[in-house]
């Protein structure tokens, strides 16, 4: 076909803008999260029924998509017995090794180069969240190693209620004052803010943080990490869909969900359904998920940086060309 052929040219003049592409990617992410949450709730109910029947694990795999090994721990943990080298430790090491140097680079480069501000902002705060994620894994590993981490099947609201109405109510108040309140103000709110960068409604962040805190307390502790990550990825899609103006939905807006949240959503399915059946998850486990999460922010920034430099070579204004239709 010649370049003047209409059918050939139409491939390169599709009326799909970066804005539409990003909107679709975020919508797919939200649908995927809804499906994942629904299957997780069903798997949890099946797990409870099995335990009530006197079983130690979910044996009726026809009722749930999730792997029994994942249901036991909330993670795929092939390395769970070597001190300082458990799956949680490995996840923490991998994320810190990738995220800390990258965060320092972003901070240093921002002082010399004002371009790529959107990509830098997204990558910077997502990487801050990744470092918090790494410390969460380190805390779980430390708690298990020192034998003070609660059992995976414990449910926060039930434990606190039993303490408040038991012989030692001061234990329940200690959990509320020293655990829940600091967790709300120093974990949920700051972490959510790194995922909800565009909203100016502080009340909304506080509300979603309260939902995160309460929801985590109503689930077995072992599912807390999966619940938190699901809520955070949903919040970032809602934030970008609702609070980024149409004029600002450019290349970075479209690339962000495609490079970050959507692949992590796929990896969540892979991990939770194939702990024992897949060679990768059987050998590496949850580390694969965290490796990609930390790396995706680096890859996203590098792609935006490469596009920016290429556009500057052509003498284009990136801030304008990002908002043009794909041609």
């Amino acid at each position: 076909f010649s370049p003047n052929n209409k059918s050939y040219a139409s491939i390169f003049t599709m009326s799909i803008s970066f804005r539409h592409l990003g909107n679709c990617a975020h919508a797919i992410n939200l649908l995927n999260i809804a499906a994942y949450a629904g299957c997780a709730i069903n798997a949890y109910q099946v797990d409870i029924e099995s335990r009530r029947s006197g079983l130690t694990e979910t044996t009726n795999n026809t009722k749930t998509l999730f792997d029994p090994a994942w249901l036991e721990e909330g993670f795929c943990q092939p390395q769970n017995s070597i001190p300082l080298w458990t799956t949680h430790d490995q996840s923490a090491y991998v994320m810190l090794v990738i995220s800390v140097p990258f965060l320092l680079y972003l901070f240093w480069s921002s002082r010399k180069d004002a371009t790529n501000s959107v990509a830098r902002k997204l990558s910077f705060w997502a990487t801050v969240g990744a470092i918090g994620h790494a410390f969460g894994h380190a805390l779980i590993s430390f708690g298990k190693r020192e034998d003070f981490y609660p059992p995976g099947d414990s449910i926060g609201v039930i434990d606190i209620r039993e303490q408040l109405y038991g012989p030692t109510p001061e234990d329940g108040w200690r959990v509320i004052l020293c655990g829940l309140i600091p967790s709300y103000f120093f974990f949920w709110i700051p972490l959510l803010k790194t995922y909800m960068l565009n909203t100016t409604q502080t009340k909304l962040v506080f509300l979603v943080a309260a939902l995160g805190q309460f929801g985590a307390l109503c689930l077995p502790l072992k599912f807390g990490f999966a619940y938190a990550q699901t809520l955070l990825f949903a919040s970032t899609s809602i934030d970008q869909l609702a609070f980024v103006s149409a004029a600002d939905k450019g290349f970075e807006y479209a690339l962000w969900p495609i490079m970050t949240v959507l692949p992590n959503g796929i990896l969540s399915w892979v991990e939770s359904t194939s702990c024992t059946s897949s060679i990768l998850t059987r050998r590496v486990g949850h580390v694969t998920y965290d490796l990609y999460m930390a790396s995706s922010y680096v890859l996203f920034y590098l792609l935006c940086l490469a596009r920016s430099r290429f556009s500057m070579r052509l003498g284009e204004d990136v801030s304008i060309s990002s908002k043009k239709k794909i041609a």
Side-chain angles (χ1 to χ4, degrees), residues 73 75-90 140-141 144:
E73 298 285 345
F75 298 94
C76 287
Q77 301 186 66
Q79 305 294 337
N80 204 26
S81 58
I82 307 173
L84 299 178
W85 198 248
T86 66
T87 299
H88 288 293
D89 292 313
Q90 292 176 20
I140 293 175
S141 176
K144 290 189 172 185

Side-chain angles (χ1 to χ4, degrees), residues 256-311:
W256 181 253
I258 293 171
M259 286 294 299
T260 62
V261 293
L262 284 178
N264 273 300
I266 294 170
L267 287 173
S268 295
W269 281 106
V270 172
E271 179 184 357
S272 59
T273 58
S274 62
C275 260
T276 54
S277 59
S278 166
I279 294 176
L280 181 64
T281 50
R282 198 163 60 236
R283 291 182 178 177
V284 184
H286 184 74
V287 178
T288 305
Y289 177 91
D290 288 328
L291 172 63
Y292 183 80
M293 176 189 283
S295 301
S296 67
Y297 307 139
V298 181
L299 294 172
F300 165 80
Y301 182 77
L302 291 177
L303 283 173
C304 292
L305 183 64
R307 179 181 181 275
S308 172
R309 290 181 176 177
F310 180 73
S311 298

